[in-house]
Amino acid sequence: MLFNSYFFIFVFLPLSLAGWYLLNRMKRFKLAQGYLIGMSLWFYAWYNASFLWVMLGSCLFNFGVSFLLSRRDKPQMRKFLLIIGCAVNIGALGVFKYYNFFVENVNAVFGADFQTRNILLPLGISFFTFQQLSYLIDRCRGEAPHYGAVDYLCFVTFFPSLISGPIVLHASTVPQFQDEAKRKFSAEGFAKGVMQFVIGLGKKVLLADTLALAVNYGYENIASLDAPAALVAAVGYTLELYFDFSGYSDMAIGVGKMFGIEIPENFNSPYLAVSVKDFWKRWHMTLSRFLQTYVYFPLGGSRKGKLRTFVNTMITFLVSGLWHGANWTFVFWGFLHGLGVAAAGIAESKKEGRASQDKGTQNRALRFLCQLATFAYVCMAFVFFRADSIQDGFLLLSRIFFFRADGKLSQMAAAMEPSEIYIVTKALSLIAPSLVGAAQIAAMVFLLAVSFFVLSRKNTVQIIARKQISFGFTLWLAFLFAWSVISLSGVSTFVYFNF
């Protein structure tokens, strides 16, 4: 089920909230949690009911491992269950997500003829697998208690973060479900949740979905793009991905607030970062936290010398790339970011004993240049994230530097034409056909300008942190919600459903 759908907004969400608060008001706390689990399972099964058994099987296995440990909590048993638990979780993820990728590469390298299989990728498997892995590892380390079945299922299945994150951890989530004081309706918390949901909906529907039309055209016609069109395709996808995923995260966090459950923020103005390392402190922060805690630190982090730090950094980002998808494009994207983070770390180490990075970038001109360079690098890396192959990625980048313009930008603008200017272009096609293309290009340039303007302003967290809600701000939110809901009739999916 999509957040940006009429059924979710006007049927599913009101029913979920009504049942949750009614049962909690009656002090039927476990029943309220059971109701929420049931609604979450309905939410997950909406797309494909067969995926439900995969997710529930994963929950049953990991809960069972925790239960066994509660019966026999000894060092040897911890080690044994940790190995078995990690093997099964990663193995399941490997079968559903990477089986065909592995077979295709084995066939290519060794000339074998193993057959690929038509395996459907269960929604959110990367997210709920990582969430449960974090609990399993903490449990076997002796850093987490054994939770009851209802609390555990609430932690894993809570529908706002179930399909595409943010990745939540048990230590911050389960205690909230156990705290009866959080079951009371909070007008302030609910209002902030609505605000964050509406802002996220606007970013997703009005910006990401419209930019996607131009981006899809560009990546489907890479070989014929001229320089301006290739540049718009590259920059447009960088913007689309951010507004798509940060918009989804805002909606997820907003819905969580409506239930009185705090879900961790996932973005902090990442395109204002002054280095690739700074970018990863701001982008998909819950994934960065997971990889740092459960991959980078266990490898040794930065405690074993510069060479080992570099190797650990590269391994962590290669894992990040592969986690996103079964394609060498994602691995290469992770490789590029690993190099970027390592380079930023080297640059920072050379500044030791001198001014810190924050002080060194106080100069506005220098800070702007650092932000511009970081954005350009991130944008370049995202070309491979979006391309079907590494070769296509290099081809698109080469098109940018051909310095040729032959009118492809107008075709891209026509593919992206927002419904809001349909009447304008229709009228121009009757009275001045030669101006239709100019109007479409103007609309595309305007949308790109609006996107960069939004990036330069306060982010969602900063916006809803205001202490007083003015009438003007309320009116703006109402307008944004109405406009977004009207625009839901267009085709709209979440990019991160693929990951």
Side-chain angles (χ1 to χ4, degrees), residues 1-12 46 197 201 205 251 485 488 492:
M1 191 181 302
L2 292 173
F3 287 162
N4 48 312
S5 65
Y6 295 118
F7 186 82
F8 176 83
I9 294 173
F10 297 112
V11 179
F12 182 85
W46 182 268
F197 180 87
L201 183 65
V205 175
M251 285 187 274
V485 168
L488 288 179
S492 177

Side-chain angles (χ1 to χ4, degrees), residues 309-331:
T309 298
F310 175 77
V311 172
N312 293 342
T313 299
M314 295 305 299
I315 291 174
T316 301
F317 277 96
L318 290 175
V319 170
S320 172
L322 192 60
W323 176 83
H324 280 88
N327 194 315
W328 285 112
T329 55
F330 297 112
V331 177

Side-chain angles (χ1 to χ4, degrees), residues 434-454:
S434 61
L435 296 179
V436 172
Q440 292 170 334
I441 291 177
M444 183 168 68
V445 171
F446 177 74
L447 183 64
L448 291 171
V450 169
S451 298
F452 280 108
F453 176 78
V454 172

Side-chain angles (χ1 to χ4, degrees), residues 93 97-98 126-127 130 167 279-280 283-292 295-296 299 312-327 329-338 341 382 385 496 499:
L93 188 61
K97 194 168 184 176
Y98 304 106
S126 296
F127 289 92
F130 267 29
I167 299 173
F279 172 81
W280 277 99
W283 174 274
H284 205 343
M285 295 185 292
T286 57
L287 176 62
S288 298
R289 177 189 61 191
F290 178 92
L291 293 174
Q292 186 179 56
V295 179
Y296 182 70
L299 288 173
N312 293 342
T313 299
M314 295 305 299
I315 291 174
T316 301
F317 277 96
L318 290 175
V319 170
S320 172
L322 192 60
W323 176 83
H324 280 88
N327 194 315
T329 55
F330 297 112
V331 177
F332 189 61
W333 170 80
F335 172 78
L336 291 173
H337 275 278
V341 170
F382 272 139
F385 194 87
Y496 258 68
F499 309 134

